[in-house]
Amino acid sequence: MSTAREQPIFSTRAHVFQIDPATKRNWIPAGKHALTVSYFYDATRNVYRIISIGGAKAIINSTVTPNMTFTKTSQKFGQWADSRANTVYGLGFGSEQQLTQFAEKFQEVKEAARLAREKSQDGGELTSTALAMASHQVPPSPLVSTNGPEEKLFRSQSADAPGPTERERLKKMLSEGSVGEVQWEAEFFALQDSNQRLAGALREANAAATQWRQQLEVQRAEAEHLRQRVAELEAQVAAEPVRAGEKEATSQSVEQLEARVQTKDQEIQTLKNQSTGPREAPDTAEREETQQQVQDLETRNAELEQQLRAMESNLEEARAERERARAEVGRAAQLLDVRLFELSELREGLARLAEAAP
């Protein structure tokens, strides 16, 4: 079958059935899954067809004629008879809305086929009158379904005006079809699709739960590590008073060293003044001794200054280390709060997942 010159004008998905030609009672499903059912328009021949392809063969190839009738037999199932194909087609939809859309499109295509037929024939009024007469002569005969008198099956009339024997055969075929079985089969395949979707969703939920559990374990380990780190930092902060006492002692030592340096500077200055001032009967040995004392004092002064600078540097380092410890404790506490919040969210997600799981 070639649809190269035909264009699709509407498509939907439904479970396709055909009446059993042997029993004329049961429906035969075209497959386990829903198929694409489309309306095609052949502009060359001005013909409308309903086509559904399953695998490499055409499941439905039905030319729409003005006298065909699409009948809704339930909220999700509809059917029509095709005398040319000598069969009855049934469609089970996933929702009532899809069935309504297909039925409306069937009516539109049927009306378009009627107008195309009138235009293609000579004597438009005569043809219309003849079609109207034929329509009044062979009205659709309602058949009560197994679900009650409110659901009726209407036999479609062929555009080629089939003979009484053909009409009776189609009528019997429709009357013997089990509407209840059709509905059950359609619902069964719809439930199969729904179960497959639910099974896929359950597998995804289980995978997500496994991933959340892994993340929860990682978060727990990280939270434990942060607790240990916070404990260590708190111990360091608790030890800061002792360090503070050491720093005070160091500060006192620095002050004492500064005082000693100042005293030595004064002594050096005094000795210099004595050595350079006017003296009577200078003694060479005494002068040399004085100079040696001055040099010793200068050396000691330089050593004291080095010690002072070293102690000041140690004091600054101790202060900087204390500030860094405080900052690290603050950051660790904030990070611990964030991890604990994420951990609580993961627990809530797992609880919701456990409640939703069947």
Side-chain angles (χ1 to χ4, degrees), residues 200-221:
L202 182 60
R203 286 192 294 270
E204 293 177 358
N206 290 334
T210 303
Q211 184 177 3
W212 287 352
R213 290 191 185 95
Q214 293 174 355
Q215 292 179 357
L216 180 60
E217 294 300 327
V218 172
Q219 295 290 342
R220 284 178 177 173

Side-chain angles (χ1 to χ4, degrees), residues 9 15 41 50 67 69 138 155 165 176 195 206-207 251 259 270 287 305 319 324 341 344 348 358:
I9 58 177
H15 292 278
Y41 173 61
I50 302 174
N67 291 332
T69 300
V138 190
R155 172 176 54 84
T165 303
E176 293 177 351
N195 288 337
N206 290 334
S251 300
T270 301
R287 186 168 58 252
E305 288 180 352
R319 290 175 180 173
R324 285 195 297 271
F341 177 74
S344 64
E348 291 177 0

Side-chain angles (χ1 to χ4, degrees), residues 215-231 332-344 346-347:
Q215 292 179 357
L216 180 60
E217 294 300 327
V218 172
Q219 295 290 342
R220 284 178 177 173
E222 189 171 356
E224 185 64 26
H225 175 71
L226 288 174
R227 287 195 186 96
Q228 294 176 359
R229 181 58 180 165
V230 169
Q334 292 177 356
L335 185 58
L336 181 60
D337 292 338
V338 171
R339 295 306 182 191
L340 290 176
F341 177 74
E342 293 177 352
L343 185 61
S344 64
L346 282 173
R347 287 177 177 172

Side-chain angles (χ1 to χ4, degrees), residues 2 171 193 232 326 356:
S2 174
K171 180 178 179 180
D193 291 341
E232 293 174 359
R326 287 180 178 176

Side-chain angles (χ1 to χ4, degrees), residues 229-241 243 321-322 324-326 328-329:
R229 181 58 180 165
V230 169
E232 293 174 359
L233 292 174
E234 288 177 350
Q236 292 179 2
V237 172
E240 285 298 325
R243 294 184 180 180
E321 180 65 23
R322 183 177 181 180
R324 285 195 297 271
R326 287 180 178 176
E328 190 172 355
V329 168

